[in-house]
Amino acid sequence: MSASASEQTVLVTGGAGYIGSHMVRQLLTGGFNVAVFDSLSRGNRDAIPETVELIEGDLTQAEDIDAAFKGRNFDAVMHFAALAYVGESVEQPDLYYRNNVMGSLNLVDAMRKHGVNKLVFSSTCATYGTPESLPITESTPQAPINPYGQSKLMVEHVLKDYAVAYGLRSIALRYFNASGSASDGSLGERHDPETHLIPLILWEALRVKNGGDPKGTNLRVFGSDLPTPDGTCVRDYIHVEDLCSAHIKAFERMCKTPEAGAEQFNLGVNQGFSVLEVINTCSEVTGIDIQYDLVGRRAGDPAELVADASAAMQKLQWTPNYPNVRAAIEHAWQWYLEHPPESV
Ligand code: UDP
C-alpha cells in the first residue's frame, strides 16, 4: 500500500499541544486529512486550525476515546497526548501513570476494537535515564530516572506486546530536546508553566529588550559542576519541524511494511550543546547580552544526552533540515517578538 496523503486520515491525539499542533500543520500541508483528539487541559484551542475537527475528550476515560473512533475512519494515529514535566512527574507520579500509561492503553484498545492498526508514539530520551555511554543509540539500555520517562517506557512495552498478540504496527519515536517554532512564523511554543530552556532564555532577552535591568535576570542555569566541558548540562536540540517530518516518514514506513511490529527510533541531530552554549547563541541571535545566575542542579537532570539518530536517518530516510540549535532559536525569537508572553 502506498502512502498517498490525500487518501489518508490521521488522528492526532494531543493536537492542541506544542508538538502536536505543529504536526497537524505539517500533515495538512502534506495533504493528509486530520482530526484532533485533545482534552484541552494543557493545550491551546487556537493552535488547531478551524478547518480541523477537534474531538474533545480525555484519554483516561475509555468511553471518550472509543467514541472518537465511532463513525470515523482513521488510517493511523499519531499519539502526542501526554504530560511531560519531569519535576511534576516526580511529585505527582499518579498523574503520569494515569494519563500517560492508562491513557495510551485506552487508546490502543480503542484502535484494536475499531480496526485501526498503525500508531506513531511520542516517546522520549528520558527513557534512557543516565546513559552509560554516549551518543545514545536505540540499544543503549533504558533505565529511566523519573516517572515521566518510566511512563513512556511502559507504553513502549505495551506496544511491543500488542504487536505480538494483536498485530499492532507501531513506531515509537524517542525525542531528544524538541525546540523552536514554525519557520513561517505561524505557530510557536506555548507551555504553561514554561520550564524549558530556550523559551526562558528568550523571555529574559525580551525583558531586557523592553527596558528591564539586565542585572535583575530571571534566568537560572541549573548546575555548573557537571562532568561536561563547561560544567553545564549538554542536550541535543531538535527543531520541532524536523520532529514532525520524522513522523510522516514513520507513517510512510508503516505503510510500506504494514506487518505487525514495534520499532523505536531516536530523534535528535547527533550534536550536543551545553546550557551556556545555548545562552551564547541566544545572545548572538537577539543581539542582547543575556545574563544568568548559576544555581544548583535540577533534580532528575542527567549531565549529557546526545542522540545517535543514524537509524532514523537510514531506515526512515529522514534528514533534519536544521542540524544545530541556531535555527530553532531564530524561529522562536521571531515568534516571541510577535507574540510576547504576558509574563514578560
Ligand atoms: N535548564 C536551565 N535553566 C532553566 C531551564 C532548563 O539551566 O531555566 C537546563 C536543564 O537543567 C537542562 C537543559 O537546560 O539541562 C534543558 O532543559 P529543558 O527543561 O529545556 O529540557 P529537558 O532536557 O529537561 O527535557
Side-chain angles (χ1 to χ4, degrees), residues 11 51 59 97 101 103 240 254 266-267 282-283:
L11 177 66
T51 51
L59 273 184
Y97 291 117
V101 182
V240 65
M254 293 193 297
N266 288 340
L267 292 184
C282 288
S283 289

Coordinates of all heavy atoms in Angstrom, one line a residue, residues 11 51 59 97 101 103 240 254 266-267 282-283:
L11 N -5.5 10.5 12.9 CA -6.0 11.1 14.2 C -4.8 11.5 15.0 O -3.9 10.7 15.3 CB -6.8 10.0 15.0 CG -7.2 10.5 16.4 CD1 -8.3 11.6 16.3 CD2 -7.8 9.3 17.2
T51 N -10.4 24.5 10.4 CA -10.8 23.5 9.4 C -10.7 22.1 9.9 O -11.2 21.2 9.3 CB -10.0 23.6 8.1 OG1 -8.6 23.6 8.4 CG2 -10.3 24.9 7.4
L59 N -8.3 11.0 27.4 CA -7.8 9.6 27.1 C -8.0 8.7 28.3 O -8.0 7.5 28.2 CB -6.4 9.6 26.7 CG -6.0 9.9 25.3 CD1 -4.5 9.8 25.1 CD2 -6.8 8.9 24.4
Y97 N 1.3 8.1 35.5 CA 0.9 6.8 35.2 C -0.6 6.7 34.7 O -0.9 6.0 33.7 CB 1.1 5.8 36.4 CG 2.6 5.7 36.6 CD1 3.2 6.1 37.8 CD2 3.4 5.2 35.7 CE1 4.5 6.0 38.0 CE2 4.8 5.1 35.9 CZ 5.4 5.5 37.0 OH 6.7 5.4 37.2
V101 N 0.2 6.3 30.8 CA 0.1 4.8 30.6 C -1.3 4.4 30.4 O -1.7 3.8 29.4 CB 0.7 4.1 31.8 CG1 0.7 2.6 31.6 CG2 2.1 4.5 32.1
G103 N -3.9 6.2 29.7 CA -4.4 6.9 28.5 C -4.0 6.2 27.3 O -4.8 6.0 26.3
V240 N 11.4 21.5 16.1 CA 10.0 20.9 16.1 C 9.6 20.4 14.7 O 8.9 19.4 14.5 CB 9.0 21.8 16.8 CG1 8.8 23.1 16.1 CG2 7.7 21.0 17.1
M254 N 5.5 2.6 7.9 CA 4.5 1.6 8.3 C 3.6 1.2 7.2 O 3.1 0.1 7.1 CB 3.6 2.2 9.5 CG 4.4 2.4 10.8 SD 3.4 2.7 12.2 CE 2.6 4.2 11.8
N266 N 15.5 6.9 17.7 CA 15.9 8.2 18.3 C 15.7 9.3 17.3 O 16.0 9.2 16.2 CB 17.4 8.2 18.7 CG 17.7 7.3 19.9 OD1 16.8 6.9 20.7 ND2 19.0 6.9 20.0
L267 N 15.2 10.5 17.8 CA 15.2 11.7 17.0 C 16.0 12.8 17.7 O 15.5 13.4 18.7 CB 13.7 12.1 16.8 CG 12.8 11.2 16.0 CD1 11.4 11.9 15.8 CD2 13.4 10.9 14.6
C282 N 21.8 32.4 21.9 CA 20.6 33.3 22.1 C 21.1 34.7 22.1 O 20.4 35.6 21.5 CB 19.8 32.9 23.3 SG 18.9 31.4 23.2
S283 N 22.2 35.0 22.8 CA 22.7 36.4 22.8 C 23.1 36.9 21.4 O 22.8 38.0 21.1 CB 24.0 36.4 23.7 OG 23.6 36.3 25.1

